[in-house]
Amino acid sequence: IGPFTRHGEAQRMLRLLKNYPAKRIVKSRTGFILYIGKFNDTDKAYQGRIRLAEEYGINGNIVRFSEQGNRSYIYGD
């Protein structure tokens, strides 16, 4: 979820979403991004995205992480 321009904004959102597992704030080039949840398959990720929309009115993105050696790659939906 994001990007947020300030770290405090991301922290407020993090407190709002306290019932979601595996939350963390990451600094990116465009601001701060909040990662929520870790899912084993796409169906569960979509269920989490729908829950965000229904409960909080938040339109989140689903991303996939890939690591090769010491590099990390992020792919969006």
Side-chain angles (χ1 to χ4, degrees):
I1 300 171
F4 299 96
T5 55
R6 297 188 178 147
H7 190 263
E9 294 172 352
Q11 285 182 324
R12 280 192 292 280
M13 182 62 72
L14 189 68
R15 284 192 298 272
L16 176 69
L17 302 172
K18 62 184 174 194
N19 295 327
Y20 281 80
K23 302 171 298 275
R24 72 178 177 156
I25 298 172
V26 177
K27 173 123 177 69
S28 71
R29 199 175 329 149
T30 58
F32 295 91
I33 298 173
L34 182 60
Y35 290 109
I36 298 175
K38 185 176 182 179
F39 305 97
N40 294 329
D41 60 16
T42 306
D43 290 337
K44 291 189 187 222
Y46 278 115
Q47 288 172 2
R49 183 177 178 181
I50 291 168
R51 181 178 165 204
L52 272 175
E54 289 176 346
E55 292 181 6
Y56 299 100
I58 297 171
N59 186 15
N61 291 323
I62 297 173
V63 295
R64 181 171 53 99
F65 289 92
S66 174
E67 293 183 0
Q68 295 178 358
N70 61 351
R71 292 185 175 205
S72 298
Y73 301 95
I74 301 174
Y75 304 96
D77 67 343

